[in-house]
Amino acid sequence: MSEKKKLLEVKNLEVQFDTENATVTAVKGISFTLNRGETIGIVGESGSGKSVTSLSIMRLIAEPPGRISGGEILFHTEGGAIDFLSLSEKEMQKHRGNDVAMIFQEPMTSLNPVFTCGNQVMEAILTHQKVSKEAAKQQTLALFEKVKLPDPERAFRSYPHQLSGGQKQRVMIAMAMSCNPSVLIADEPTTALDVTVQKTILDLMKDLQRESDTAVVFITHDLGVIAEIADRVLVMYKGEIVEQGAVEQIFSAPQHPYTKSLLACRPPLGDRLRRLPVVADFMEVVKNDDGTTKIIEKADSVGQLLTQMKIPQTEIQARLSDLMKNEPILRVQNLKTWFPSKKNFFGKPLEYVKAVDDVSFDVYPGETLGLVGESGCGKTTLGRTILRLSPATEGSIFFENEDLTRMKADRLKALRRDIQIIFQDPYSSLNPRMTIGSAIMEPMQVHKLYKNDAERKEKVIELLETVSLDANHFNRYPHEFSGGQRQRICIARALALNPKFIICDESVSALDVSVQAQVLNLLIELRQKMQFTCIFISHDLSVVKFISDRMVVMNKGKIEEMGVADDIYNNPQQDYTKRLIAAIPKGL
């Protein structure tokens, strides 16, 4: 096989950001080469520098506070190498989108909400190609067909909010591919997508790459996803490349303890573990006398560590047997939540979206019941209906033998003490103008817990320490924390009233695998300590299997399958469940 042609070369790239107190070096002199038709995976936690690297290649670092302080970014053409860093902004615009294109992590914030999806892709074509509007429209429709949007004409006319997450991501891919770029940078393009949608997007990107021989830089925090798509892997940690090599080599014989930890953090698909391994199990960062740091390896064998954490099947069965000896704390009977989708002239509903359609199940005290399915299957609506945040159309919800569907407002308000929810996006569920101490204290004030605010503050500090945050975080605002820390704050707020029952709605889906492992471990530890019951909602079957005693699989508003979590994974009965399991990235 002939040697691949060098296309992009990053040499000694250094990127810095100026803060009030100091200058932070986010990328520390990294170098790598990308060849035509090749896919390089860049993997690492939030803050590792992977997204800053991609934005630097596109020359999209905001100046100030950021600046590319050193290095070269060479784009190789027939006429020679062009250093992107030496070009003016006007010159760079000719290459951006044309030679090098980018798919961003969150399509909803990347697409303009006031323009149709078709117009936005047309704009990209008209900017870089000398074609008529009609020709640009036909190209857009052809691209929408190519990225397998179910109805290209409808997608063309639709605004971003009218499409699902997976469909919006396809629009972004179509826009990125509209000018046949030589290099495509995909920055976390499948994060927070269902495993089935994720698999479809990955397959689509591989097909498009094969057709056009595009080189791809694929950025993610999940090594399982990297195994599905990449040829080579760069592992980044705190702005540096700590390990790189072929995918097979990295997966079969990782050398750096950080790489080993990333491979081990994802919930395993076989054995049940007491807790998930985290980065701290594999390495420790210590300071040298001269102020520099070094990494000390702690655990050498991933397999040995996983064996120590394994729970015997007899113990799993005994726990489940003990749980089910009690009366259910929650009984859902023939529950329906329908939303009118079409009304006549007089406002009478003619058609409905049956989000939850005749669902029944029990939850036992101390149990974690997993609720899994794709977006649109009804799992979030079911959780909201149980909490009376969405009205039930029919059916009953008994919590400790009281029917929530018939409960008066004052009694329901009092009962909110016992039933709490942790939402998917911690940033949007925290008030940006309220300190996190005040946010955690607020439900205590509403329900008049403790004598005064001094006692409440003591309790808040205790809760912060319980979720591995510091007392001095009390007066800080949400924007001063990472995503994982914000989720811990939301967990502390949910626990502030010492609830009997918590619904976790996709509460780890957008987190790095390493942070996800920490949050899942924390939830298990708190469940044992505080003895609450939990419904854990997720589209990720591997996460649900790890944390749940029993599992409910939902599809199109109905229950497809229900039973012991391990049994459903090891021996699924329904085709839908089998498809969910098959779509989970399994590595090599």
Side-chain angles (χ1 to χ4, degrees), residues 457-472:
K457 184 174 180 179
E458 278 183 33
K459 181 63 179 175
V460 171
I461 289 168
E462 182 189 319
L463 283 165
L464 286 173
E465 289 171 347
T466 300
V467 298
S468 304
L469 293 171
D470 296 330
N472 60 15

Side-chain angles (χ1 to χ4, degrees), residues 332-393:
V332 175
Q333 296 177 344
N334 307 111
L335 189 66
K336 295 180 182 179
T337 308
W338 293 4
F339 300 104
S341 59
K342 189 177 178 182
K343 296 181 180 180
N344 65 12
F345 179 77
F346 300 102
K348 183 182 177 182
L350 300 175
E351 293 177 10
Y352 292 89
V353 173
K354 298 178 181 180
V356 178
D357 194 17
D358 199 19
V359 165
S360 301
F361 62 88
D362 295 336
V363 187
Y364 294 89
E367 180 185 19
T368 297
L369 181 77
L371 203 55
V372 70
E374 298 168 286
S375 289
C377 73
K379 56 189 188 297
T380 292
T381 303
L382 175 56
R384 292 179 63 84
T385 306
I386 290 168
L387 290 162
R388 283 277 304 270
L389 297 175
S390 292
T393 308

Side-chain angles (χ1 to χ4, degrees), residues 5-45:
K5 193 167 131 186
K6 189 188 294 181
L7 196 57
L8 186 73
E9 208 173 351
V10 175
K11 289 185 171 182
N12 303 313
L13 179 67
E14 186 172 280
V15 186
Q16 295 181 323
F17 289 87
D18 295 319
T19 67
E20 288 182 15
N21 302 320
T23 296
V24 176
T25 305
V27 176
K28 303 172 182 175
I30 69 166
S31 301
F32 63 90
T33 301
L34 178 67
N35 300 318
R36 182 169 287 282
E38 181 184 37
T39 299
I40 282 184
I42 302 181
V43 71
E45 298 169 284

Side-chain angles (χ1 to χ4, degrees), residues 172-302:
M172 288 297 298
I173 292 171
M175 191 185 297
M177 299 299 289
S178 62
C179 297
N180 294 317
S182 302
V183 177
L184 178 65
I185 300 170
D187 186 7
E188 302 270 14
T190 60
T191 297
L193 293 180
D194 300 341
V195 284
T196 48
V197 178
Q198 174 179 271
K199 188 176 190 307
T200 307
I201 296 291
L202 293 176
D203 290 343
L204 171 63
M205 288 185 66
K206 284 188 275 191
D207 290 344
L208 293 172
Q209 183 188 23
R210 275 194 294 269
E211 284 177 30
S212 53
D213 205 27
T214 306
V216 177
V217 178
F218 194 96
I219 294 166
T220 183
H221 57 254
D222 191 338
L223 270 164
V225 171
I226 286 289
E228 301 275 319
I229 198 164
D231 303 304
R232 288 191 295 128
V233 187
L234 312 179
V235 182
M236 288 191 72
Y237 177 71
K238 293 192 174 177
E240 298 180 273
I241 296 173
V242 294
E243 186 166 0
Q244 60 179 302
V247 169
E248 295 84 356
Q249 174 200 324
I250 295 293
F251 272 80
S252 60
Q255 299 302 304
H256 198 277
Y258 182 65
T259 312
K260 293 175 185 176
S261 70
L262 288 182
L263 283 166
C265 281
R266 188 167 175 79
L269 298 171
D271 298 324
R272 182 75 72 98
L273 304 182
R274 295 189 191 282
R275 69 175 186 85
L276 289 172
V278 294
V279 174
D281 291 319
F282 292 87
M283 57 182 262
E284 184 181 359
V285 180
V286 295
K287 276 193 174 181
N288 296 317
D289 294 337
D290 60 0
T292 58
T293 59
K294 65 178 177 181
I295 292 170
I296 295 175
E297 185 165 1
K298 290 164 75 175
D300 183 46
S301 168
V302 174

Side-chain angles (χ1 to χ4, degrees), residues 283-513:
M283 57 182 262
E284 184 181 359
V285 180
V286 295
K287 276 193 174 181
N288 296 317
D289 294 337
D290 60 0
T292 58
T293 59
K294 65 178 177 181
I295 292 170
I296 295 175
E297 185 165 1
K298 290 164 75 175
D300 183 46
S301 168
V302 174
Q304 189 178 356
L305 195 65
L306 295 179
T307 302
Q308 291 168 1
M309 295 177 179
K310 182 179 171 182
I311 306 177
Q313 275 297 317
T314 50
E315 190 177 321
I316 296 169
Q317 290 162 0
R319 170 177 160 78
L320 200 58
S321 177
D322 286 344
L323 288 171
M324 296 179 76
K325 285 175 184 173
N326 303 305
E327 280 290 309
I329 190 172
L330 181 80
R331 284 183 292 129
V332 175
Q333 296 177 344
N334 307 111
L335 189 66
K336 295 180 182 179
T337 308
W338 293 4
F339 300 104
S341 59
K342 189 177 178 182
K343 296 181 180 180
N344 65 12
F345 179 77
F346 300 102
K348 183 182 177 182
L350 300 175
E351 293 177 10
Y352 292 89
V353 173
K354 298 178 181 180
V356 178
D357 194 17
D358 199 19
V359 165
S360 301
F361 62 88
D362 295 336
V363 187
Y364 294 89
E367 180 185 19
T368 297
L369 181 77
L371 203 55
V372 70
E374 298 168 286
S375 289
C377 73
K379 56 189 188 297
T380 292
T381 303
L382 175 56
R384 292 179 63 84
T385 306
I386 290 168
L387 290 162
R388 283 277 304 270
L389 297 175
S390 292
T393 308
E394 280 183 33
S396 304
I397 306 159
F398 289 96
F399 180 76
E400 294 189 325
N401 296 317
E402 287 188 86
D403 190 350
L404 301 184
T405 61
R406 304 181 195 285
M407 197 171 279
K408 296 283 192 291
D410 55 344
R411 173 67 187 125
L412 188 64
K413 181 183 174 182
L415 197 69
R416 296 254 185 246
R417 267 190 64 173
D418 294 329
I419 308 175
Q420 291 289 305
I421 185 167
I422 302 166
F423 293 101
Q424 176 174 356
D425 182 358
Y427 193 66
S428 62
S429 56
L430 290 168
N431 187 331
R433 296 183 177 184
M434 189 181 278
T435 65
I436 62 127
S438 300
I440 298 169
M441 193 190 292
E442 187 182 36
M444 298 180 193
Q445 292 167 330
V446 168
H447 289 278
K448 298 181 172 58
L449 261 65
Y450 309 103
K451 292 177 185 174
N452 51 46
D453 280 351
E455 282 193 16
R456 292 181 190 117
K457 184 174 180 179
E458 278 183 33
K459 181 63 179 175
V460 171
I461 289 168
E462 182 189 319
L463 283 165
L464 286 173
E465 289 171 347
T466 300
V467 298
S468 304
L469 293 171
D470 296 330
N472 60 15
H473 289 152
F474 185 95
N475 291 314
R476 294 191 191 176
Y477 290 88
H479 73 271
E480 298 179 78
F481 297 89
S482 69
Q485 287 174 319
R486 282 197 288 265
Q487 198 57 282
R488 289 168 186 269
I489 292 162
C490 288
I491 291 170
R493 186 176 61 180
L495 295 173
L497 301 175
N498 196 21
K500 296 175 182 177
F501 193 93
I502 297 176
I503 293 178
C504 298
D505 186 9
E506 299 276 15
S507 51
V508 298
S509 64
L511 300 177
D512 297 343
V513 284

Side-chain angles (χ1 to χ4, degrees), residues 135-202:
K137 180 179 179 179
Q138 293 309 314
Q139 276 190 47
T140 301
L141 288 169
L143 281 163
F144 282 179
E145 201 165 319
K146 205 172 187 180
V147 299
K148 299 175 184 171
L149 278 163
D151 186 345
E153 286 280 358
R154 187 184 73 83
F156 187 93
R157 297 189 304 270
S158 297
Y159 291 89
H161 72 273
Q162 294 174 305
L163 300 180
S164 71
Q167 288 173 334
K168 283 195 284 279
Q169 199 59 284
R170 288 163 196 254
V171 171
M172 288 297 298
I173 292 171
M175 191 185 297
M177 299 299 289
S178 62
C179 297
N180 294 317
S182 302
V183 177
L184 178 65
I185 300 170
D187 186 7
E188 302 270 14
T190 60
T191 297
L193 293 180
D194 300 341
V195 284
T196 48
V197 178
Q198 174 179 271
K199 188 176 190 307
T200 307
I201 296 291
L202 293 176

